[in-house]
Amino acid sequence: MVREWDPGTASSAEIASLLDTLNAVLAVDLPRDPPWRESSLREYLSEVMPGERRISWVAQAEPAAGGAPGPILGQVNVLLLGDIGVLEVLVHPSRRRGGLGRDLVLVAARRAYQEGFQSIGVEVVGDTPAVAFYESLGFSKEYVETRSVLDLSAVDWAELSEMAAGIGAGYHLEFCPGGPPDDLIDAYARAKAEVRDVDDGELRPSSYDPQRLRDSLDCLHRRGMKPYIVLALHEQTGEVAGLTEVVVPAQHPTRADQYDTIVVQDHRGYGIDRAIKARMLLELRSAEPRLTEVQTWNAQANEAMLKVNAELGYRADREWCEYSVDVAELVHRLDAGR
């Protein structure tokens, strides 16, 4: 049975059941990834940025003998933002290849079509059954990144300290747990605007407006995701010359997520990219003692950042792809196949 579902008001038993399915999927598709925890999972599933909406559905087994609710075997949500809907689909490995995934995609695609959206995007992890599944539904690959993972137990911390100190004269680094200070928000947003005009295919664009940046940081905190920032400040002007962002999610606190790393065009060539990322790792070592890994995603054409990551000790893991499809065509194709 597929039904619309609100994680904000769902029972604790339903949240726990969904977590079981999520971890069953990870165990099969991404066995080296840490299992997720229930901490702030409800908030992770329900909180969104202003102006965005997330609509969710679950597939639940029939009630067990005695009337106890059946387990959640699948879930789909569509995040409606800008002019695109972003899908996330989860199907328990024991229920794959039985049509449940198609049913979940169809219910979300129908809603996106009714809401007036013309296209749907989805992140697809390379070397998993999701690749063939979405391609069979007519999704086309639009963008490919490489996910790399850093094992902190293998880091040479003395060498990392040298990297963090290797920034050009006229710059200094600041560590900002929780986000940049409010008096630097405008300068921070200007630095992030450096990549605004780059058409990199990202389904979840960065925040370049100061107020939206504040909203983004607030949303991260509400979802149980703690941001850490390292800034490179140009001493003469006080401008943000470079920045790097790492988020430690309560849902998997042993593996952090690298977000943006940006060096403003006029300040490139001074070792800022390597220094800010090295300083971040040094700070995380004491700020997040449970942390064992950091994962990052980079466009395959971004050779400069891939080189920096390799010097820091990151190792390429697998491809991370973004697919999209015309909503009307998708609904027609799925309805025709029923």
Side-chain angles (χ1 to χ4, degrees), residues 25-44:
V25 169
L26 287 177
V28 171
D29 293 348
L30 294 167
R32 295 183 180 179
D33 280 29
W36 280 43
R37 305 179 185 185
E38 195 166 342
S39 178
S40 296
L41 181 58
R42 181 189 304 276
E43 291 77 13
Y44 178 86

Side-chain angles (χ1 to χ4, degrees), residues 61-292:
E62 294 298 323
I72 290 177
L73 301 173
Q75 190 251 356
V76 60
N77 69 71
V78 58
L79 179 65
L80 303 176
L81 72 164
D83 59 356
I84 189 171
V86 181
L87 278 181
E88 292 182 334
V89 181
L90 196 67
V91 176
H92 195 284
S94 67
R95 295 298 301 268
R96 289 176 175 175
R97 299 185 180 278
L100 179 56
R102 294 172 67 93
D103 290 345
L104 291 169
V105 172
L106 176 57
V107 70
R110 280 176 174 164
R111 177 64 64 86
Y113 180 74
Q114 293 166 1
E115 297 273 353
F117 285 78
Q118 295 185 347
S119 62
I120 285 179
V122 63
E123 289 186 343
V124 181
V125 182
D127 298 323
T128 68
V131 175
F133 172 71
Y134 286 107
E135 290 181 351
S136 74
L137 299 183
F139 283 76
S140 299
K141 187 186 298 183
E142 303 289 345
Y143 182 66
V144 180
E145 292 181 310
T146 297
R147 184 180 79 165
S148 300
V149 179
L150 174 65
D151 178 357
L152 294 178
S153 69
V155 167
D156 184 331
W157 296 102
E159 183 179 355
L160 206 68
S161 295
E162 292 181 6
M163 292 183 185
I167 192 169
Y171 299 92
H172 73 272
L173 305 184
E174 287 192 12
F175 175 59
C176 307
D182 199 64
D183 62 342
L184 285 175
I185 285 285
D186 287 355
Y188 191 87
R190 285 195 297 272
K192 288 176 75 75
E194 277 279 310
V195 296
R196 176 171 49 196
D197 297 325
V198 178
D199 183 15
D200 59 5
E202 288 279 2
L203 293 178
R204 292 175 174 82
S206 295
S207 299
Y208 314 111
D209 172 78
Q211 184 54 52
R212 185 162 177 81
L213 183 55
R214 292 185 181 93
D215 291 339
S216 176
L217 290 166
D218 179 61
C219 185
L220 283 174
H221 285 289
R222 286 187 281 109
R223 298 183 82 196
M225 306 168 76
K226 187 172 183 179
Y228 292 93
I229 313 292
V230 171
L231 303 177
L233 298 177
H234 186 227
E235 293 172 350
Q236 184 176 356
T237 63
E239 286 294 299
V240 173
L243 61 94
T244 190
E245 307 163 333
V246 167
V247 171
V248 179
Q251 300 82 18
H252 51 90
T254 62
R255 179 181 285 192
D257 299 328
Q258 173 78 60
Y259 280 28
D260 284 344
T261 297
I262 296 169
V263 179
V264 175
Q265 181 70 41
D266 291 344
H267 300 282
R268 294 178 183 175
Y270 297 96
I272 292 175
D273 49 2
R274 183 180 294 101
I276 56 179
K277 296 195 77 167
R279 173 66 179 274
M280 175 66 79
L281 295 172
L282 290 167
E283 296 288 357
L284 289 174
R285 188 184 188 189
S286 56
E288 291 287 343
R290 293 182 298 175
L291 203 60
T292 60

Side-chain angles (χ1 to χ4, degrees), residues 279-310:
R279 173 66 179 274
M280 175 66 79
L281 295 172
L282 290 167
E283 296 288 357
L284 289 174
R285 188 184 188 189
S286 56
E288 291 287 343
R290 293 182 298 175
L291 203 60
T292 60
E293 297 173 307
V294 181
Q295 58 186 1
T296 187
W297 293 261
N298 296 102
Q300 295 177 337
N302 191 353
E303 295 180 2
M305 191 56 65
L306 290 170
K307 181 175 182 292
V308 168
N309 287 339

